[in-house]
Amino acid sequence: PRRGEAPALLSRRLVAPASSPVSSGMPDLSVIVLQFGGSEMPVRAVESFRRHCRLPQEIFVVDNASPDPRDRARAAAIDGVRFLPLRENLGFGAGNNAAAREARGEFLLFLNNDTWADADFATPVVRAMQADPGVGIASPALCNADGSAQLSCGRLPSITREAVDRILYRAADRGAEFGRRHARRMSSRTRFVEWVGGAAMFVLGLALAQPRR
């Protein structure tokens, strides 16, 4: 699925301590892409992101012990990235954490390898987070390959809310105008929400390194 442009959808989750230092030598953003086989997808994700993003950045590609050595070789050959091969498949969370421990960025972007960017969605998100130190997690609006909006943020789920959201977004996927109007309304402005999707999730790097007690 294609992942769309800002506005950012912000979630108050983590707060870095006010005294945490930010080194002027660190990149604004550390991008982490995980792969397990299918190395053409992370190549496309990295290349499309780098083509548009204007921020100082570092990019990690983590290989979760792909069984085909050709996949590992293709990912390792991506120009300008840090390739981290793991000896075993650690799964999604631990695989991303392997790179997060190495990251130097003020912010981390956990980016799914099936995404591609057609605009600079990262800069508006990072600038919004920098402008409000109370924001620890953020996401851009996400969209499908045909440009239709994905369900990518919202309030904490309940049975009723989950059912209604799924009905509306399935209607949007099928081209129903009432569903598309709802999807556009959900992703048309910057706002605070209770959850965001993990396909392109920005996290305050200092909050990971020094969680608030």
Side-chain angles (χ1 to χ4, degrees):
R2 183 167 62 93
R3 309 299 181 182
E5 306 173 6
L9 303 172
L10 307 178
S11 176
R12 290 185 183 272
R13 289 294 188 214
L14 301 174
V15 181
S19 60
S20 297
V22 177
S23 168
S24 60
M26 67 170 57
D28 285 345
L29 189 62
S30 296
V31 184
I32 299 172
V33 179
L34 193 66
Q35 81 156 8
F36 178 74
S39 61
E40 292 180 3
M41 289 194 298
V43 170
R44 183 176 67 171
V46 168
E47 289 180 348
S48 68
F49 178 85
R50 196 159 45 189
R51 186 180 309 123
H52 296 288
C53 181
R54 304 187 303 273
L55 294 169
Q57 62 192 254
E58 61 179 359
I59 299 179
F60 295 82
V61 174
V62 182
D63 181 80
N64 234 341
S66 294
D68 189 337
R70 292 173 295 183
D71 289 325
R72 296 193 295 273
R74 279 192 290 265
I78 303 174
D79 185 51
V81 307
R82 291 188 61 185
F83 178 65
L84 296 181
L86 303 180
R87 294 184 177 181
E88 59 180 316
N89 185 352
L90 299 181
F92 184 80
N96 277 306
N97 286 342
R101 286 191 290 269
E102 303 280 336
R104 299 179 299 116
E106 181 182 359
F107 300 94
L108 310 182
L109 168 57
F110 297 102
L111 186 66
N112 275 18
N113 64 23
D114 65 345
T115 62
W116 76 89
D118 56 9
D120 180 10
F121 68 87
T123 299
V125 178
V126 167
R127 297 302 179 231
M129 295 181 78
Q130 288 172 329
D132 186 344
V135 174
I137 294 178
S139 172
L142 306 181
C143 59
N144 298 308
D146 64 358
S148 60
Q150 285 190 16
L151 178 60
S152 55
C153 70
R155 296 174 62 189
L156 290 177
S158 66
I159 293 175
T160 301
R161 191 173 296 131
E162 185 77 6
V164 170
D165 280 345
R166 289 190 179 278
I167 289 170
L168 288 168
Y169 275 84
R170 282 175 183 164
D173 288 343
R174 294 169 182 166
E177 184 54 32
F178 75 91
R180 288 183 181 262
R181 280 199 306 270
H182 173 74
R184 287 194 297 269
R185 186 167 61 250
M186 289 290 289
S187 60
S188 62
R189 61 187 176 88
T190 301
R191 60 197 177 95
F192 288 98
V193 295
E194 295 176 333
W195 68 267
V196 296
M201 185 171 68
F202 293 77
V203 177
L204 184 61
L206 289 172
L208 279 182
Q210 302 179 44
R212 187 173 63 177
R213 294 190 178 93

